[in-house]
């Protein structure tokens, strides 16, 4: 369950995120092909990085879904790709500043 402000970590790599926007609270946030867990959840070594979700995440970048309903901020990078269910999240581009005359 996603809530704004929750800190989550990957079960298969070093990725950690903060949830910035949680449009659909029933959505499952995944990293590396497996659900992300709370920071206090003990490390489980039975999972390995899924090949389809191994493009990585970048520190300090925001990732969002196509509908812009979920947004996360990466606080620690890793090898796993962030996804909402089976749909990968995309890197959110910065908005250009208005031109000044």
């Amino acid at each position: 369950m996603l809530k704004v402000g929750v800190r989550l970590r990957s079960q298969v790599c070093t990725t950690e995120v903060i949830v910035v926007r949680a449009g659909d609270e029933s959505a499952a946030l995944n990293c590396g092909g497996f659900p992300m867990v709370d920071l206090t959840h003990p490390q489980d070594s039975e999972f390995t990085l899924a090949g389809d979700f191994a493009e990585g995440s970048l520190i300090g970048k925001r990732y969002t879904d196509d509908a812009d309903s979920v947004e996360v901020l990466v606080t620690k990078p890793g090898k796993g790709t962030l996804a909402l269910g089976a749909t990968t999240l995309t890197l959110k581009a910065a908005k250009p500043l208005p031109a000044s005359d």
Side-chain angles (χ1 to χ4, degrees):
M1 176 169 26
L2 291 177
K3 288 185 175 181
V4 174
V6 170
R7 296 185 65 186
L8 303 171
R9 70 171 177 80
S10 173
Q11 296 188 75
V12 295
C13 68
T14 58
T15 301
E16 291 182 8
V17 301
I18 295 177
V19 177
V20 176
R21 185 178 314 129
D24 183 6
E25 292 186 2
S26 64
L29 185 63
N30 297 331
C31 182
F34 295 95
M36 296 190 83
V37 294
D38 188 77
L39 289 179
T40 59
H41 190 275
Q43 186 75 28
D44 195 352
S45 62
E46 71 182 55
F47 299 112
T48 58
L49 189 63
D52 294 343
F53 297 98
E55 294 182 17
S57 56
L58 302 173
I59 189 167
K61 299 296 182 185
R62 292 174 183 249
Y63 290 85
T64 185
D65 63 338
D66 291 338
D68 205 25
S69 62
V70 174
E71 183 176 329
V72 296
L73 172 65
V74 176
T75 58
K76 196 170 182 182
K79 294 181 179 178
T81 300
L82 297 167
L84 192 63
T87 306
T88 59
L89 299 182
T90 57
L91 185 64
K92 187 172 183 177
K95 292 181 180 177
L97 295 173
S100 62
D101 293 320

